[in-house]
Amino acid sequence: MSAKMVRLLGVGKQYSNCRYVLRNISFDLHKGEFAYVTGVSGAGKTTLLKLLFGMEKASEGQIYVNNRDLGSLNKNRLFQYRREVGFVFQDFKLLPDLTVFDNVSLPLEIRNMSPKEIDYRVKGVLSLVGLSDRADDYPPVLSGGEQQRIAIARSIVGKPSLLLADEPTGNLDSTNAREVMALFQEIREMGTTVLIATHDEALMQMFPTRTIELQHGEMMADKGAAK
Amino acid sequence: MKKHRGLKRTFTDFRRHPWLHFISIFTITIALTILGFFLIAFRNFEQVAEQTSPKVTGTVYLQNGLSESQVRLLRERILALENVIRVSFKSKRTVMEELSEFVGGAQPDSIAAAELFPDVLELEIRKDTSSAGLIVLKSIVSKYPEISEVDFSEDWLAQYHRVRSVLRIFGIILMVGLLVGCSFIIANFMGMRHQSRRNEIEIVQLVGAEKTFILAPFLWEGFIEGLVGSTFALLVLYLLKMVISFFIHSGWATLLGARGWLYLSPVQGGLVLGVGIAMAFLGSITVFMRFQQES
């Protein structure tokens, strides 16, 4: 069995109004594993991803990513952690005033890489997502599917060990959604652990893999987990 | 390397949002032009006050029967006193002639009480002598035995100084108020502008940028806009100064003196430049810090 990339032990999240959005969540994800987190809206999928990305702190339990305890991660060290984890947002979070190339190169710019290295890596991921010819365009002129692929390109350009995606196909038509899912499979094949939050049953059937099911913030099932 | 990237991102942003930066610079220019115009007005008011300030004089009435050498020695002693610029002698004859001219040309000998006038020494005193300084001078001079009476214009001079210092204090208070107001406008405008870029900051944070990476372009923007805005303000003020000089030169020539309508002094110019840069700079930092606390 490969090493653990993600480990959640009795994780809970409670907001100030005392309502639990997540309660007693425990599971492991191995390096290079591909999994879905599923459940209806409000089940706690997005909160779970936010906890894994360090955007929120767990109220209970422990979260380890690559043997790093996220509970002990202070604000000043968060930026380093985020460089190791990619996140694909449902609303893409692209900067409309930057070109596709500049949006994708942002994670490399902040690492202070040389322009040559940035050029090489950005062209590489743009080729992977099939948008090499749109490098000089601006996000608003791209279709939803293209924007999502740019967001994916940005999230993997820094070669993260873990990729989180929150409803990555939520704003896409079925053709684009299939293409994006195929892209995630490719990324997983390159060795990246991928965890996708989705409630799209059809897609999950098309690309079957391990599925963690949430309901009212509690883990109801973990189908297809490695024993 | 990092610094250059911050600067590069700043210039990229200037190209991306030319109107936003134009409005920022325009706001800074307007605020500082108002401040600078007041500083110019204050400086010129001071000059006019200086130009029109009264000559401080004193009249010293001498005892009768003093010899020329006694008068000369007395003049030298008085001239050596602090704040005295010039001492001139007027004989009783000169005084009578002046009086005769004043009353309509009557012959000095025909004035009945002509012999009652004493010889006098007229003292010219430094303009900036304080009222206390005048009182001290008067008390020293009046103790000399060769002198019978001393008459200084200290009372109304004290009044004049009092009015002038009240006006000066009022001007300084107004200037400080204006300075605070301008700083507030600039810092708040920079704040509002950066609020509009929250989305950008958030995204850059999410991809793992550290504080310095996020802050660098904001600081450069603040510095550049402050510098350009205050430089424009100085240019506008110079043009205003030229226009004002052109229109009021002949009418106010006497009041303004040989130097005419003045521009900002180097210190005032530095203040305008400094306020522009510092406020735009601080505005950037404050907003960034506020955003950091919220996120």
Side-chain angles (χ1 to χ4, degrees):
Chain A
M1 176 59 59
S2 57
K4 289 185 177 83
M5 170 55 70
V6 174
R7 169 158 253 214
L8 279 85
L9 298 168
V11 171
K13 177 67 184 175
Q14 187 183 24
Y15 287 109
S16 51
N17 59 7
C18 296
R19 194 175 68 86
Y20 271 97
V21 284
L22 282 177
R23 186 185 286 232
N24 197 26
I25 307 290
S26 299
F27 66 84
D28 295 336
L29 273 181
H30 296 100
K31 284 187 179 168
E33 196 173 355
F34 188 108
Y36 297 116
V37 180
T38 187
V40 295
S41 293
K45 305 186 294 290
T46 300
T47 306
L48 181 63
L49 293 196
K50 282 182 173 176
L51 291 178
L52 284 167
F53 195 53
M55 288 169 80
E56 306 258 3
K57 286 236 174 213
S59 317
E60 293 165 5
Q62 280 91 45
I63 303 175
Y64 296 93
V65 175
N66 223 357
N67 294 322
R68 193 199 302 251
D69 180 5
L70 297 196
S72 63
L73 206 64
N74 67 31
K75 222 174 174 178
N76 295 330
R77 294 276 142 241
L78 194 60
F79 73 90
Q80 282 179 333
Y81 169 70
R82 283 185 178 159
R83 291 178 187 185
E84 295 168 23
V85 181
F87 199 113
V88 181
F89 298 91
Q90 187 177 7
D91 59 353
F92 319 135
K93 290 209 187 293
L94 297 174
L95 289 167
D97 301 317
L98 291 186
T99 62
V100 164
F101 185 95
D102 289 338
N103 264 289
V104 176
S105 67
L106 206 53
L108 307 181
E109 285 276 350
I110 63 176
R111 288 168 166 86
N112 212 17
M113 279 188 180
S114 71
K116 201 176 163 187
E117 175 75 5
I118 290 173
D119 192 64
Y120 174 76
R121 283 172 74 163
V122 172
K123 282 179 177 166
V125 290
L126 284 179
S127 166
L128 180 72
V129 300
L131 289 172
S132 297
D133 55 335
R134 310 302 299 263
D136 296 326
D137 289 329
Y138 289 87
V141 303
L142 303 178
S143 69
E146 287 172 326
Q147 289 190 44
Q148 188 61 291
R149 281 189 276 161
I150 297 302
I152 293 168
R154 186 185 61 192
S155 68
I156 60 168
V157 75
K159 296 184 179 168
S161 45
L162 172 65
L163 179 63
L164 307 167
D166 186 15
E167 302 280 5
T169 57
N171 292 324
L172 307 180
D173 58 41
S174 57
T175 312
N176 273 311
R178 267 199 309 276
E179 283 176 11
V180 164
M181 288 306 290
L183 191 57
F184 281 124
Q185 294 280 6
E186 267 187 75
I187 293 164
R188 203 266 305 191
E189 279 160 22
M190 291 188 288
T192 305
T193 308
V194 181
L195 182 63
I196 297 174
T198 182
H199 60 266
D200 191 334
E201 290 287 340
L203 272 178
M204 285 191 283
Q205 281 170 15
M206 204 177 294
F207 298 93
T209 188
R210 181 181 171 190
T211 305
I212 296 157
E213 196 182 323
L214 299 179
Q215 197 178 333
H216 302 303
E218 292 189 40
M219 201 166 133
M220 301 309 288
D222 188 355
K223 297 171 196 164
K227 301 293 176 197
Chain B
M1 185 71 174
K2 273 188 179 178
K3 275 179 195 167
H4 292 153
R5 284 204 172 163
L7 198 55
K8 189 184 143 206
R9 282 164 57 219
T10 305
F11 284 121
T12 306
D13 199 73
F14 271 92
R15 279 198 300 273
R16 278 160 55 202
H17 305 115
W19 281 104
L20 193 69
H21 293 288
F22 172 78
I23 293 167
S24 299
I25 291 170
F26 184 73
T27 307
I28 293 168
T29 303
I30 294 292
L32 292 177
T33 301
I34 295 168
L35 174 71
F37 189 77
F38 186 81
L39 289 172
I40 288 180
F42 186 76
R43 189 171 184 219
N44 282 283
F45 168 79
E46 281 285 299
Q47 192 198 205
V48 169
E50 189 64 33
Q51 206 72 24
T52 55
S53 70
K55 211 180 237 183
V56 186
T57 56
T59 308
V60 172
Y61 300 96
L62 304 178
Q63 299 280 10
N64 279 326
L66 293 179
S67 66
E68 265 185 48
S69 62
Q70 278 179 308
V71 172
R72 196 181 63 247
L73 275 173
L74 182 63
R75 280 179 65 185
E76 283 167 7
R77 272 159 64 201
I78 294 174
L79 196 58
L81 293 172
E82 199 182 349
N83 295 323
V84 178
I85 303 170
R86 197 165 55 198
V87 180
S88 50
F89 175 74
K90 266 188 190 172
S91 67
K92 60 178 74 174
R93 185 157 192 88
T94 315
V95 175
M96 279 188 293
E97 277 168 6
E98 282 178 2
L99 182 66
S100 148
E101 207 172 302
F102 184 73
V103 298
Q107 288 303 307
D109 291 343
S110 68
I111 298 169
E115 280 304 314
L116 291 174
F117 287 101
D119 293 332
V120 296
L121 289 179
E122 280 190 350
L123 277 55
E124 193 180 327
I125 296 155
R126 288 168 62 96
K127 275 183 179 179
D128 55 355
T129 307
S130 65
S131 301
L134 265 184
I135 291 166
V136 170
L137 181 65
K138 189 180 174 184
S139 73
I140 294 170
V141 173
S142 58
K143 279 175 190 159
Y144 293 148
E146 298 92 336
I147 291 167
S148 64
E149 201 181 328
V150 179
D151 180 19
F152 277 21
S153 50
E154 75 269 22
D155 287 342
W156 79 271
L157 196 75
Q159 195 75 9
Y160 170 83
H161 281 307
R162 215 170 292 136
V163 170
R164 201 172 148 184
S165 30
V166 167
L167 286 176
R168 186 180 287 148
I169 290 167
F170 181 68
I172 289 169
I173 290 170
L174 258 180
M175 202 155 55
V176 170
L178 210 56
L179 190 71
V180 172
C182 284
S183 307
F184 189 75
I185 291 169
I186 294 170
N188 262 293
F189 183 80
M190 297 298 284
M192 274 162 52
R193 217 198 60 188
H194 292 325
Q195 286 295 320
S196 69
R197 290 174 64 183
R198 288 175 69 101
N199 193 35
E200 182 183 335
I201 298 176
E202 189 198 340
I203 292 171
V204 177
Q205 273 183 329
L206 287 174
V207 296
E210 53 192 307
K211 269 185 190 176
T212 48
F213 183 89
I214 303 167
L215 186 58
F218 286 93
L219 293 184
W220 278 114
E221 272 172 32
F223 178 76
I224 293 169
E225 286 176 354
L227 183 68
V228 174
S230 45
T231 305
F232 274 143
L234 291 175
L235 287 172
V236 170
L237 288 166
Y238 189 74
L239 288 175
L240 277 174
K241 181 250 175 199
M242 300 294 277
V243 171
I244 291 169
S245 296
F246 179 76
F247 282 110
I248 68 165
H249 181 71
S250 54
W252 285 37
T254 323
L255 281 178
L256 291 170
R259 291 194 296 169
W261 183 261
L262 296 173
Y263 185 55
L264 294 167
S265 68
V267 173
Q268 289 174 324
L271 182 73
V272 170
L273 209 62
V275 167
I277 295 170
M279 288 308 122
F281 204 67
L282 285 176
S284 302
I285 295 178
T286 311
V287 174
F288 176 78
M289 294 302 173
R290 209 184 300 156
F291 183 80
Q292 281 289 111
Q293 278 174 355
E294 286 170 10
S295 61

